[in-house]
């Protein structure tokens, strides 16, 4: 049985990766991530269609024009993107339930597709706690921290306005993880 795609969003540092790592560890063959497109060159050992769909700049731009992407971005001179088809392929080809970890723009974009996704928002207990977690993760400069906190406020506002099917507050990790599983397994997976 393969379930509908599950979209997980929430401010950076709210604990999405931590929760998903637990989920993939407990259920190693049930869930999958989509394969992204990129214009960067494959590194040794990387396989087309497995690690990435490697594509040309022209090919990538054509896909943008044709509205094929849920989200795309440019990092250090290369394009990266998640296509609607790549999400469908997780169910159709890999026979797994797709998990999409994306931001608010991505959520809005998935809503415009026919993917039939379910939407879960992971909220920090508070902005103060989020700031603490980002600081203790040790990955942020003062500038990137301020940027992430500003984005967090917008994401939380969208969640409060009812943008998702379920909101889980990641205060105690085990409690949040139980709630995550309850939401995910409320439908056959
Ligand atoms: N319930 C929790 N209580 C305390 N700390 C937590 C909890 N959940 C996660 N953390 C910690 O908060 C930090 C941020 O978590 P994580 O990296 O999973 O966030 P994220 O939402 O995946 O962020 P990003 O979107 O930037 O990848 C990590 O250091 C993690 O160990």
């Amino acid at each position: 049985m393969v379930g509908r795609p599950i979209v997980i969003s929430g401010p950076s540092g709210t604990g999405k990766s931590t929760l998903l790592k637990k989920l993939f560890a407990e259920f190693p063959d049930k869930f999958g991530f989509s394969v992204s497109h990129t214009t960067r060159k494959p590194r040794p050992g990387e396989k087309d269609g497995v690690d990435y769909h490697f594509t040309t700049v022209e090919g990538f731009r054509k896909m943008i024009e044709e509205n094929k992407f849920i989200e795309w971005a440019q990092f250090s001179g290369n394009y990266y993107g998640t296509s609607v088809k790549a999400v469908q392929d997780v169910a159709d080809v890999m026979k797994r339930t797709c998990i999409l970890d994306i931001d608010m723009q991505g959520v809005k974009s998935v809503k415009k597709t026919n993917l039939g996704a379910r939407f879960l928002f992971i909220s920090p207990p508070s902005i103060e706690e989020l700031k603490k977690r980002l600081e203790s993760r040790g990955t942020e400069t003062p500038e990137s921290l301020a940027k992430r906190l500003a984005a967090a406020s917008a994401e939380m506002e969208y969640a409060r306005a009812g943008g998702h099917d379920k909101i889980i507050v990641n205060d105690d990790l085990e409690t949040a993880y139980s709630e995550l599983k309850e939401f995910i397994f409320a439908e056959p997976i």
Side-chain angles (χ1 to χ4, degrees), residues 16-82:
K16 300 179 297 289
S17 311
T18 308
L19 287 163
L20 290 180
K21 213 180 276 170
K22 282 173 81 70
L23 185 73
F24 277 68
E26 187 173 349
F27 305 98
D29 354 288
K30 280 208 180 302
F31 304 99
F33 291 122
S34 57
V35 177
S36 298
H37 282 70
T38 184
T39 59
R40 84 150 163 74
K41 295 283 163 281
R43 299 193 180 119
E46 284 184 338
K47 284 203 181 75
D48 186 38
V50 177
D51 299 286
Y52 279 100
H53 296 290
F54 294 100
T55 178
T56 59
V57 171
E58 300 75 61
F60 198 102
R61 287 192 180 142
K62 188 159 179 280
M63 285 181 70
I64 295 174
E65 275 163 30
E66 291 170 348
N67 243 334
K68 297 274 169 73
F69 289 113
I70 288 166
E71 60 177 7
W72 64 270
Q74 241 179 331
F75 298 109
S76 49
N78 294 308
Y79 286 102
Y80 295 84
T82 304

Side-chain angles (χ1 to χ4, degrees), residues 11-18 129 133 136-137 148 170-173:
S12 174
T14 208
K16 300 179 297 289
S17 311
T18 308
E129 175 62 22
R133 285 186 196 171
S136 70
R137 193 170 68 171
R148 284 180 197 272
N170 181 18
D171 189 353
D172 173 67
L173 183 62

Side-chain angles (χ1 to χ4, degrees), residues 5-14 16-17 20 33-34 36 69-73 80-84 87 98-113 115 117-122 151 155 158 163-164:
I6 295 162
V7 174
I8 299 193
S9 68
S12 174
T14 208
K16 300 179 297 289
S17 311
L20 290 180
F33 291 122
S34 57
S36 298
F69 289 113
I70 288 166
E71 60 177 7
W72 64 270
Y80 295 84
T82 304
S83 72
V84 174
V87 172
C98 183
I99 304 265
L100 266 165
D101 176 352
I102 49 178
D103 67 11
M104 184 172 71
Q105 291 312 322
V107 168
K108 290 178 179 173
S109 175
V110 172
K111 288 190 176 180
K112 292 183 194 149
T113 70
L115 285 168
R118 296 196 278 154
F119 298 89
L120 174 62
F121 185 80
I122 310 294
E155 296 243 2
Y158 180 61
H164 309 79

